[in-house]
Amino acid sequence: QARVVESGGGSVQTGGSLRLSCTASGYTASAYCMGWFRQAPGKEREGVAAISGGGGAANKDYGDSVKGRFAISLDNAKNTLYLQMDNLKPEDTAIYYCARKRVTWICGLHDFQYEDWGQGTQVTVSS
């Protein structure tokens, strides 16, 4: 059964850092596009970052609001997706989710193309 479990959320002050983890089971994460999304209260779900599969050099997509601050990576040995978040801002406060898209390349950040969502992990950034 395919599932993911997110962890690593917490509360930090503006300018702080967090690293989120998403451990997949029931499938090999490196065979697919894997993505991070977030949803703040009262807002629609937003694409944060995605990484292509297939091994070798991965293509990475980032949402405009996180470019230069967040970095997505995949540890194939651990079947775990990461999101390193630096220089956090209050507007980054949200529940963060990971999911997979059943293709290897051309990932994009359209949430309706992703499936097998986790339960999410809360990130709170205070000013």
Side-chain angles (χ1 to χ4, degrees):
Q1 181 179 359
R3 65 188 296 255
V4 294
V5 177
E6 302 97 336
S7 62
S11 296
V12 298
Q13 292 188 328
T14 297
S17 297
L18 285 172
R19 189 177 78 155
L20 306 184
S21 300
C22 167
T23 300
S25 59
Y27 65 91
T28 301
S30 61
Y32 303 96
C33 288
M34 296 294 295
W36 284 101
F37 298 81
R38 66 187 182 185
Q39 188 166 22
K43 295 187 177 181
E44 294 186 351
R45 191 159 54 191
E46 174 189 16
V48 176
I51 186 169
S52 64
N59 290 322
K60 301 175 183 179
D61 298 316
Y62 292 97
D64 289 341
S65 61
V66 306
K67 285 180 181 177
R69 300 188 299 121
F70 290 11
I72 189 171
S73 61
L74 180 64
D75 186 327
N76 294 340
K78 296 182 178 180
N79 213 31
T80 297
L81 181 72
Y82 297 100
L83 184 69
Q84 177 65 42
M85 306 186 297
D86 297 320
N87 190 22
L88 282 160
K89 304 176 181 180
E91 51 264 42
D92 295 318
T93 295
I95 299 175
Y96 285 71
Y97 303 88
C98 70
R100 69 164 166 167
K101 181 179 177 181
R102 289 189 184 245
V103 296
T104 304
W105 297 99
I106 312 177
C107 301
L109 293 172
H110 300 293
D111 62 345
F112 64 88
Q113 296 177 332
Y114 285 75
E115 60 187 77
D116 299 326
W117 296 82
Q119 83 290 346
T121 186
Q122 176 71 49
V123 171
T124 303
V125 185
S126 58
S127 58

